[in-house]
Amino acid sequence: MKKRINIHALEPDAYQSMFGIEEYLSSVDLEAPLKELIKIRASQINGCAYCIHMHTEQARSQGETEQRIYALSAWRESPLFSERERVILALTEEVTQISVQGLTKETYEKALEHLGENKLAQSIMQIVTINAWNRIAVSTNMQHE
């Protein structure tokens, strides 16, 4: 891939703003394994190799299994994910692909039931944030080591 602009170098204040959101997300009570499932699944949908590489490494370092990471793209057919994780993954897919059908009433209500209002808000913010990072990485051809 041809090298493109480095937004971090050109517009550091923009990156600092993104890091501010990351700091907020690190302080919320949404469990770390759920955050990583969100990041990996959104990155798979968006085709962001840079973020998939980063977040699968982070997930493994936090104790996530290889089998669950491999099965993530087919989570609906896999018995490896809890009902709560399935709700998070459905939410992730619908918010990531918001132009397809929006966030359906069914998914929203299940998420509210399983997460409560605050964790639902935190989940949406996590999904929105990883989608922003994916768009930065894909549009600028960011490469992992």
Side-chain angles (χ1 to χ4, degrees), residues 39-141:
K39 292 174 185 178
I40 297 166
R41 186 64 191 124
S43 298
Q44 288 174 333
I45 293 166
N46 291 323
C48 185
Y50 182 89
C51 294
I52 291 169
H53 179 81
M54 177 191 308
H55 295 296
T56 55
E57 282 187 350
Q58 286 181 304
R60 283 192 309 268
S61 75
Q62 295 171 3
E64 187 59 80
T65 67
E66 295 288 323
Q67 295 313 112
R68 282 172 39 99
I69 291 171
Y70 299 150
L72 189 54
S73 64
W75 63 269
R76 282 184 173 81
E77 291 77 31
S78 175
L80 299 176
F81 300 95
S82 70
E83 183 62 26
R84 188 163 188 258
E85 290 168 331
R86 291 174 181 283
V87 167
I88 287 279
L89 292 168
L91 182 71
T92 300
E93 288 185 359
E94 290 184 17
V95 173
T96 297
Q97 299 173 320
I98 200 82
S99 67
V100 174
Q101 65 181 359
L103 176 56
T104 64
K105 181 179 177 182
E106 177 184 2
T107 299
Y108 175 82
E109 288 177 356
K110 281 184 183 177
L112 190 57
E113 175 187 332
H114 283 272
L115 301 170
E117 289 182 346
N118 284 84
K119 284 190 179 182
L120 175 54
Q122 294 166 5
S123 297
I124 291 171
M125 288 304 300
Q126 184 66 75
I127 296 163
V128 168
T129 303
I130 190 58
N131 272 277
W133 284 121
N134 290 163
R135 281 150 177 76
I136 291 168
V138 171
S139 65
T140 61
N141 286 341

Side-chain angles (χ1 to χ4, degrees), residues 25-45:
L25 288 169
S26 72
S27 73
V28 301
D29 59 352
L30 188 64
E31 299 88 344
L34 291 177
K35 291 178 188 179
E36 293 307 320
L37 289 178
I38 289 168
K39 292 174 185 178
I40 297 166
R41 186 64 191 124
S43 298
Q44 288 174 333
I45 293 166

